[in-house]
Amino acid sequence: MSKPYAEVIGDPIAHSKSPAIHGFWLETLGIEADYRAAHVTPDGLAGYFSRRKEDPDWRGCNITIPHKQAALDHVEDRGELRASIGAINTVLRDEDGALIGTNTDAAGFYAPISGLDLEGAEVAVVGAGGAARAVLFALKRAGVAHVALFNRTPLKAAGLLAAFGLEGEALPIDTPLPPAALLVNASPLGMTGQPPLALDLDPLPDDAIVYDLVYAPLETDLLRAARERGLVTVDGLEMLIGQAAVAFELFFGRPAPRDGDAALREMLIR
């Protein structure tokens, strides 16, 4: 007998920890369902959604690199995310069979730093892809004053700042950092199989926070350098687990059991 399932799609996908996270919660709650990883290339994205739409057991999917923007072309955008965040990381199918896109990244990103007062702060962000869009969306709502957005294509970064109505500047990645209160790596740089992210952290003040969305490896060179400087760090598992919890309830109809986060993190870093 088949079971309901959800999955995560991307290219590459082998590094994803999402199956382990959702599997942990499914087992904890005793839900008879599966969560899988599916390797989907850009050329196969349209066919993927077409096939899954006809599968009655499919509850939806999470989306990772490089599909967070392209997936918008294959789903309904009822939350007008194209005009706001400009990317999605979750798709679910409603009772009528329609595929609905949403984004849990912004909430997942902001949760670990929600206690900070970022009103009027200067922030530095690396990256201009789908994850960066969710970060900028959250930072705009947190009231930051200035964003230095670093990207290999500064023109693309400048377009993002304008799209989100953020004061700031778009800079090449090799530009020295400003004295930012918060540094966020929202790019794949530093991820296993990707080029390294080499930043000189000396310009950051001693009370700065360094937040790396990369989680494979969990201990990135950026976080290691930040800890060596005695800076507060936030690793990629924080956002990953936070955004997954929102998606889990959408897929399976029950809240993720967050009281088990310590055990979950221990399992994920083994």
Side-chain angles (χ1 to χ4, degrees):
M1 183 177 178
S2 60
K3 294 192 293 186
Y5 72 98
E7 55 195 346
V8 58
I9 66 170
D11 179 29
I13 199 60
H15 68 282
S16 178
K17 295 184 182 294
S18 292
I21 294 171
H22 287 264
F24 179 89
W25 289 333
L26 289 169
E27 182 177 358
T28 298
L29 296 175
I31 297 175
E32 288 294 321
D34 289 328
Y35 187 98
R36 311 166 183 171
H39 181 210
V40 178
T41 65
D43 289 343
L45 193 60
Y48 167 82
F49 283 117
S50 178
R51 292 189 300 273
R52 291 301 189 268
K53 187 174 183 180
E54 302 304 320
D55 185 345
D57 294 321
W58 185 77
R59 296 291 184 85
C61 68
N62 290 119
I63 302 168
T64 188
I65 295 171
H67 303 316
K68 293 187 178 186
Q69 292 167 262
L72 271 165
D73 294 334
H74 305 286
V75 301
E76 292 189 21
D77 182 19
R78 296 181 183 176
E80 299 184 347
L81 291 168
R82 188 184 295 276
S84 57
I85 297 179
I88 57 175
N89 78 321
T90 303
V91 174
L92 58 146
R93 185 174 53 201
D94 71 5
E95 296 175 354
D96 298 324
L99 302 187
I100 313 300
T102 188
N103 195 307
T104 67
D105 274 342
F109 160 73
Y110 191 64
I113 58 172
S114 59
L116 299 179
D117 182 8
L118 293 175
E119 184 81 31
E122 180 168 7
V123 178
V125 178
V126 179
R133 286 175 172 272
V135 169
L136 295 174
F137 179 85
L139 292 176
K140 173 66 174 179
R141 278 147 186 77
V144 301
H146 186 277
V147 177
L149 186 57
F150 296 81
N151 194 53
R152 284 176 285 197
T153 309
L155 187 61
K156 181 180 180 182
L160 278 189
L161 291 175
F164 287 97
L166 286 161
E167 295 292 331
E169 52 192 341
L171 302 165
I173 286 182
D174 57 0
T175 306
L177 292 171
L182 173 67
L183 167 63
V184 182
N185 177 30
S187 80
L189 296 175
M191 181 186 296
T192 302
Q194 297 289 330
L197 176 60
L199 296 177
D200 180 3
L201 303 184
D202 285 347
L204 298 181
D206 291 340
D207 59 351
I209 296 173
V210 176
Y211 191 159
D212 197 340
L213 273 55
V214 170
Y215 59 85
L218 185 60
E219 175 75 351
T220 63
D221 290 342
L222 176 63
L223 291 183
R224 187 178 300 110
R227 290 181 183 128
E228 288 174 356
R229 258 212 60 192
L231 301 178
V232 174
T233 61
V234 182
D235 64 46
L237 281 187
E238 294 286 348
M239 175 174 172
L240 183 66
I241 293 172
Q243 63 81 26
V246 180
F248 182 88
E249 187 166 2
L250 293 174
F251 296 147
F252 303 111
R254 294 178 63 182
R258 298 298 302 275
D259 55 347
D261 275 10
L264 174 58
R265 282 187 62 93
E266 183 178 347
M267 179 196 72
L268 292 172
I269 62 178
R270 285 175 189 162

